Amino acid sequence: MTGLLGRGPTRDTLLLSPGRGAVAFRVSRSSALLTAAAGTAALAVATVSLTLGVFPIGVGDVLTVLGGGGTLIERDIVLNDRLPRALTGLGVGAAFALSGALLQRIAANPLVSPDVIGINSGAAMGALVVLLILGGSGLQLVLGALLGALLAAVLILLIAYKRGLHGFRLVLVGIGVAAMLSSATSYLLTRADINRAMSAAAWLTGSLANRGGLHVAIIVTALAVTVPVLIVGSRHLRLLELGDDLTRTLTGAGQGRKVVLLLVAVVLAALATAAAGPIGFVALVAPQITRRILAERQVGLAPSAAVGALLVVSADLAGRLLFAPTEMPVGVLTAVFGAPVLLYLLARAHRIGAAG
């Protein structure tokens, strides 16, 4: 973007225009700095992960391969094995974080995320139906995860909606729906063939092992489709936090924008689940880290995505290093570190409610 128009309403804000037109974008200095720092760190961790494995490759050799050089063996290992894993981790982390940030802003509640309220469980359930009952894979699994997430979201909204979306009502209903879906998932596993059940159980933990070009294509497509919508729709997130009545009074808009943003959040969570399994707590934790660093001055979608990518690739790298020669699935580590954050947010919400 070019054409700097000048400072925005605060010293931290700049107003940018893509040209001479009337459209302008407000950019936060601190938000841009956090995005650049977290994004650079995520890329650095991903690059280091390309060097690790049964056949170690130096960072310099990895960069040579990425530049088009290297031996045939190095190119095969890096490009066909390790690079898809790293790219999937970056994309999945960004997608989960964006989904969580959207839901938390729309519901005005830090406890709302696709894994907590059952959207991830719906996606996992839909994918398992394809894997265990229909015997499908690939794009069929993607469609199953997307359909499952959409059905779960519709069910949650139908039950939770009462003169608008209220944060704690949404959380309680979502936890109940997630519990029902988890029970259905367990039932499917008990009725499946032992080999398929073991494969599905490993997938349910959330893992980046054995990722390939299809998984990269899934998450890249998800981000390519949803990010342009977010660029336009993110301007309305702060207004949506004010409530339906006040938003309608200030903008004259109905529920259309909220429905579109909710749909984007569901699609991101569903396709991220299809690509790497239901990796827990990234969608919950990444937006909270971002909001605390930025002191909640900005919507923070871009920095949340960068922080989410950093969390996933870092957890994956830690799972490979700390438990070598075996690997700990990334979903296990994110749950270990994410669960205390959830408990903290619950305790904080209780203290605020008691003080009120």
Side-chain angles (χ1 to χ4, degrees):
M1 284 182 276
T2 59
L4 182 62
L5 297 183
R7 293 183 183 272
T10 67
R11 295 181 62 184
D12 185 57
T13 304
L14 296 175
L15 205 60
L16 301 178
S17 171
R20 295 184 177 181
V23 178
F25 297 92
R26 185 175 297 171
V27 178
S28 163
R29 294 178 188 270
S30 56
S31 180
L33 181 60
L34 177 58
T35 302
T40 301
L43 290 175
V45 173
T47 301
V48 171
S49 70
L50 298 180
T51 68
L52 301 177
V54 178
F55 188 87
I57 303 175
V59 174
D61 294 329
V62 167
L63 296 177
T64 299
V65 170
L66 296 178
T71 66
L72 184 61
I73 295 179
E74 290 174 341
R75 290 178 60 82
D76 181 64
I77 292 174
V78 172
L79 299 180
N80 297 329
D81 181 26
R82 298 177 186 175
L83 184 60
R85 177 175 186 153
L87 293 178
T88 301
L90 292 170
V92 163
F96 275 130
L98 285 172
S99 179
L102 284 171
L103 291 173
Q104 289 174 15
R105 286 289 182 177
I106 292 172
N109 190 312
L111 296 174
V112 178
S113 69
D115 44 356
V116 173
I117 68 172
I119 293 175
N120 284 11
S121 298
M125 180 69 183
L128 283 186
V129 169
V130 173
L131 285 172
L132 300 180
I133 297 179
L134 302 179
S137 61
L139 293 179
Q140 293 174 329
L141 185 141
V142 174
L143 293 175
L146 183 57
L147 182 59
L150 289 173
L151 291 177
V154 169
L155 178 61
I156 293 166
L157 294 177
L158 287 176
I159 299 174
Y161 190 89
K162 186 177 182 181
R163 297 179 182 178
L165 287 176
H166 304 285
F168 281 105
R169 182 181 178 87
L170 185 62
V171 170
L172 293 175
V173 170
I175 290 175
V177 171
M180 291 189 296
L181 291 171
S182 296
S183 298
T185 297
S186 299
Y187 175 77
L188 282 179
L189 291 175
T190 62
R191 304 298 297 177
D193 173 77
I194 184 63
N195 294 323
R196 287 188 176 183
M198 291 179 62
S199 177
W203 179 82
L204 285 171
T205 61
S207 175
L208 296 178
N210 301 317
R211 300 301 96 176
L214 175 61
H215 304 95
V216 176
I218 291 171
I219 199 61
V220 169
T221 301
L223 294 172
V225 171
T226 56
V227 167
V229 179
L230 293 181
I231 291 176
V232 177
S234 62
R235 295 180 296 171
H236 307 290
L237 277 175
R238 281 200 177 278
L239 286 176
L240 291 176
E241 286 183 308
L242 301 177
D244 296 336
D245 295 335
L246 186 54
T247 300
R248 191 178 299 108
T249 300
L250 293 175
T251 66
Q255 295 291 314
R257 293 193 180 106
K258 179 177 288 189
V259 170
V260 170
L261 292 173
L262 282 171
L263 182 60
V264 168
V266 171
V267 169
L268 283 168
L271 295 185
T273 300
I279 298 176
F281 293 102
V282 175
L284 176 73
V285 172
Q288 291 306 306
I289 293 174
T290 301
R291 293 188 75 162
R292 276 153 181 75
I293 293 176
L294 298 179
E296 303 193 15
R297 292 188 294 270
Q298 300 292 328
V299 172
L301 292 183
S304 293
V307 171
L310 176 60
L311 288 176
V312 171
V313 294
S314 297
D316 183 52
L317 182 60
R320 296 171 65 186
L321 291 177
L322 298 179
F323 300 92
T326 60
E327 293 184 6
M328 179 67 70
V330 63
V332 175
L333 288 181
T334 58
V336 168
F337 292 105
V341 176
L342 176 60
L343 294 176
Y344 164 76
L345 292 174
L346 285 169
R348 184 171 180 267
H350 176 72
R351 289 197 301 270
I352 293 175

